[in-house]
């Protein structure tokens, strides 16, 4: 699973600070402090999630998360690709920002969401090899694993990460329409370098009786190489909404020793 999911403002954030915590003996106690880091991004994301939940009280946590991830920006305010200012300074990628930089206004009306139910998480845990008692202790009820999938790649998260692509591989996802009842979305793919990507079906049609549709994304390595991670995206568009998820793929011939 791709981590992080998303990024938010976290550099030089002016925030409240407990007066009981002295920064130093010279400064004494203060009411406010400028700080940076993921701890400063977290309250921004939490606030956006709270706003979305108040606007859409029936949305699940997965739907709220999807709305933020699929509408996030991957370019800065000037239209340039984002950069990572860590060492070394480089062009940023999904390992730095996940789906992108959060955009609260767009997240309020995402068009489509990648939703999940508790049973989806249970099947995921079963596929990871957790036994029934371990899962029961987490979900607080008896939940036996039945017909658990062998792969974790089909968990309905708003991203697709394939750490070991050998030849061909197909992954499925399901989207739920939360926009206009009658909608048509067409797929647009930016394939990771060295990989062919096809989406089937490439056109999703929603109406009053169909608000959830499943599609498959097929990946095929162009060359038999032991490669590094490469990045692309899959976007569903209806002329109004842009629903984008990152694609992260690493082509392989043999297993890396660190993964053995």
């Amino acid at each position: 699973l791709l981590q992080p999911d998303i990024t938010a403002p976290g550099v030089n954030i002016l925030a409240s600070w407990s007066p009981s915590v002295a920064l130093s003996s010279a400064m004494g106690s203060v009411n406010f402090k400028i700080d940076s880091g993921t701890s400063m991004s977290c309250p921004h994301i939490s606030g956006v999630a709270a706003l979305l939940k108040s606007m859409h009280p029936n949305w699940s946590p997965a739907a709220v998360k999807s709305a933020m991830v699929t509408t996030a920006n991957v370019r800065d305010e000037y239209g340039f690709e984002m950069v990572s200012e860590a060492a070394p300074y480089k062009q940023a990628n999904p390992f730095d920002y996940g789906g992108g930089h959060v955009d609260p206004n767009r997240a309020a009306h995402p068009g489509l969401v990648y939703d999940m139910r508790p049973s989806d998480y249970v099947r995921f845990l079963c596929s990871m090899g957790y036994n029934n008692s371990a899962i029961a202790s987490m979900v607080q009820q008896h939940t036996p694993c039945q017909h658990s999938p062998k792969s974790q790649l089909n968990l309905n998260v708003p991203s697709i990460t394939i750490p070991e692509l050998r030849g061909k591989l197909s992954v499925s996802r399901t989207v739920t329409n939360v926009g206009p009842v009658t909608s048509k979305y067409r797929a647009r793919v930016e394939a990771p370098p060295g990989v062919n990507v096809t989406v089937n079906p490439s056109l999703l049609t929603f109406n009053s009786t169909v608000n959830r549709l499943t599609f498959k994304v097929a990946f095929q390595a162009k060359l038999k190489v032991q490669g590094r991670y490469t990045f692309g995206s899959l976007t569903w568009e209806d002329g109004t909404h842009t629903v984008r998820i990152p694609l992260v793929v690493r082509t392989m011939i043999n297993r890396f020793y660190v993964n053995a």
Side-chain angles (χ1 to χ4, degrees):
L1 298 181
L2 176 64
Q3 291 296 315
D5 295 301
I6 195 168
T7 191
V11 178
N12 293 334
I13 305 300
L14 178 63
S16 59
W17 194 260
S18 173
S20 63
V21 180
L23 296 179
S24 68
S25 58
M27 295 182 62
S29 63
V30 296
N31 293 323
F32 300 94
K33 179 176 178 284
I34 289 179
D35 206 352
S36 299
T38 53
S39 296
M40 306 310 293
S41 293
C42 180
H44 285 91
I45 292 295
S46 300
V48 174
L51 288 172
L52 292 179
K53 187 66 174 176
S54 67
M55 295 178 64
H56 307 282
N58 295 326
W59 280 10
S60 68
V64 172
K65 171 182 169 180
S66 173
M68 289 190 285
V69 172
T70 60
T71 58
N73 295 314
V74 293
R75 295 182 178 271
D76 63 20
E77 64 269 31
Y78 305 107
F80 295 108
E81 293 184 355
M82 291 192 290
V83 296
S84 172
E85 296 183 355
Y89 188 88
K90 66 179 181 68
Q91 181 176 315
N93 60 50
F95 285 157
D96 299 302
Y97 52 64
H101 197 283
V102 66
D103 186 328
N105 291 327
R106 292 181 61 199
H109 306 285
L112 303 175
V113 293
Y114 292 77
D115 201 3
M116 284 192 289
R117 301 178 177 88
S119 58
D120 296 310
Y121 295 100
V122 170
R123 284 194 296 270
F124 178 73
L125 293 172
C126 289
S127 71
M128 293 182 67
Y130 286 89
N131 59 36
N132 294 341
S133 60
I135 295 175
S137 67
M138 285 185 273
V139 301
Q140 295 300 301
Q141 63 182 21
H142 178 62
T143 309
C145 289
Q146 296 179 345
H147 308 294
S148 61
K150 296 180 180 180
S151 172
Q152 293 95 40
L153 296 176
N154 292 324
L155 185 67
N156 204 44
V157 292
S159 63
I160 297 177
T161 303
I162 302 176
E164 300 179 5
L165 176 62
R166 297 183 180 89
K168 298 180 181 180
L169 182 65
S170 182
V171 176
S172 67
R173 288 290 187 274
T174 300
V175 286
T176 302
N177 182 25
V178 294
V181 173
T182 302
S183 302
K184 289 185 178 181
Y185 284 83
R186 190 172 298 277
R188 177 168 58 86
V189 174
E190 293 182 13
V195 180
N196 285 324
V197 180
T198 56
V199 181
N200 186 33
S202 59
L203 179 66
L204 301 179
T205 302
F206 299 93
N207 53 46
S208 58
T209 59
V210 178
N211 77 325
R212 284 172 57 90
L213 288 172
T214 299
F215 60 91
K216 290 185 179 296
V217 186
F219 298 83
Q220 183 174 8
K222 294 181 180 179
L223 300 172
K224 291 184 177 181
V225 295
Q226 195 85 336
R228 296 184 176 182
Y229 280 100
T230 56
F231 309 95
S233 64
L234 165 60
T235 305
W236 291 102
E237 299 170 319
D238 69 343
T240 302
H241 303 93
T242 301
V243 188
R244 179 186 181 277
I245 64 171
L247 306 177
V248 180
V249 180
R250 180 174 65 174
T251 58
M252 292 186 64
I253 302 173
N254 300 311
R255 291 181 63 86
F256 287 100
Y257 288 112
V258 294
N259 294 336

